[in-house]
């Protein structure tokens, strides 16, 4: 880097990548590279994952005290959002396609359970369709499980 009148200029071999760590695995050199332009987005996504985790912990503690039926679905929604946002942060940050593919697949662990949990949470909380939600709860959770099974086999 060259400093001219208080301004830093980047030298020509500048790369917008951050090399985190190099190590050897089975004789091969492995390097993790992260886009430096993705840092603000990664920070926001990791922060939202942290908030979702804290809300899930708070809801779980409330469920243990009050035994409200809708709290378990809210906890699953928050945990799904945590998995989704943190894995998406790593997906947009890493540069290598293998790492992006790995974190994209991990997103589905949280992403697939969110719609069903959200539907069951709203039906229990609002009181509309409680009998339907309680009767078909296990059947509705088969859909995300089948999506994860398909994701694993492809």
């Amino acid at each position: 880097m060259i400093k001219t009148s208080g301004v830093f200029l980047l030298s020509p071999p500048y790369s917008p990548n951050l090399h985190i760590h190099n190590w050897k695995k089975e004789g091969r050199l492995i390097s993790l590279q992260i886009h430096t332009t993705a840092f603000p987005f990664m920070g926001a996504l990791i922060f939202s994952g942290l908030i979702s985790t804290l809300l899930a912990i708070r809801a779980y503690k409330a469920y243990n005290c009050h035994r409200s039926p809708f709290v378990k679905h809210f906890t699953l929604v928050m945990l799904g959002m945590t998995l989704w946002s943190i894995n998406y942060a790593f997906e947009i940050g890493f540069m290598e396609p293998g790492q992006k593919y790995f974190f994209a697949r991990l997103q589905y662990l949280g992403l697939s359970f969110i719609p069903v949990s959200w539907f069951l949470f709203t039906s229990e909380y609002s009181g509309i369709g409680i009998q339907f939600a309680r009767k078909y709860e296990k059947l509705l959770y088969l859909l995300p499980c089948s999506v994860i099974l398909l994701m694993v086999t492809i």
Side-chain angles (χ1 to χ4, degrees):
M1 295 181 64
I2 306 164
K3 184 174 181 183
T4 58
S5 67
V7 177
F8 285 100
L9 300 175
L10 298 171
S11 55
Y14 170 70
S15 173
N17 308 329
L18 175 68
H19 297 275
I20 292 181
H21 188 60
N22 293 330
W23 71 88
K24 287 194 174 191
K25 179 180 178 184
E26 299 173 4
R28 296 179 303 173
L29 185 66
I30 296 175
S31 175
L32 297 177
Q33 296 178 359
I34 296 180
H35 287 288
T36 54
T37 55
F39 278 168
F41 304 109
M42 289 177 68
L45 287 166
I46 290 172
F47 180 71
S48 71
L50 177 67
I51 296 297
S52 298
T53 304
L54 294 175
L55 285 172
I57 292 169
R58 178 79 173 167
Y60 181 73
K61 287 180 180 178
Y63 177 70
N64 284 337
C65 293
H66 302 293
R67 294 287 180 201
S68 299
F70 59 86
V71 176
K72 65 179 178 179
H73 301 299
F74 180 76
T75 304
L76 286 173
V77 169
M78 290 297 114
L79 289 176
M81 290 176 64
T82 298
L83 284 171
W84 184 18
S85 63
I86 289 176
N87 287 315
Y88 184 61
F90 290 127
E91 180 193 356
I92 64 172
F94 284 119
M95 295 180 55
E96 294 184 21
Q99 294 166 347
K100 285 183 171 290
Y101 183 68
F102 175 73
F103 286 110
R105 289 175 63 125
L106 282 181
Q107 287 178 44
Y108 278 96
L109 293 176
L111 178 63
S112 61
F113 282 99
I114 292 174
V116 174
S117 299
W118 190 258
F119 170 73
L120 292 172
F121 166 70
T122 54
S123 64
E124 289 274 348
Y125 187 75
S126 66
I128 300 172
I130 291 176
Q131 290 81 16
F132 176 80
R134 290 182 182 166
K135 184 177 179 181
Y136 294 109
E137 177 180 1
K138 292 181 177 116
L139 187 64
L140 287 171
Y141 276 118
L142 282 178
L143 183 64
C145 292
S146 63
V147 168
I148 290 173
L149 181 67
L150 287 173
M151 185 241 348
V152 170
T153 58
I154 294 178

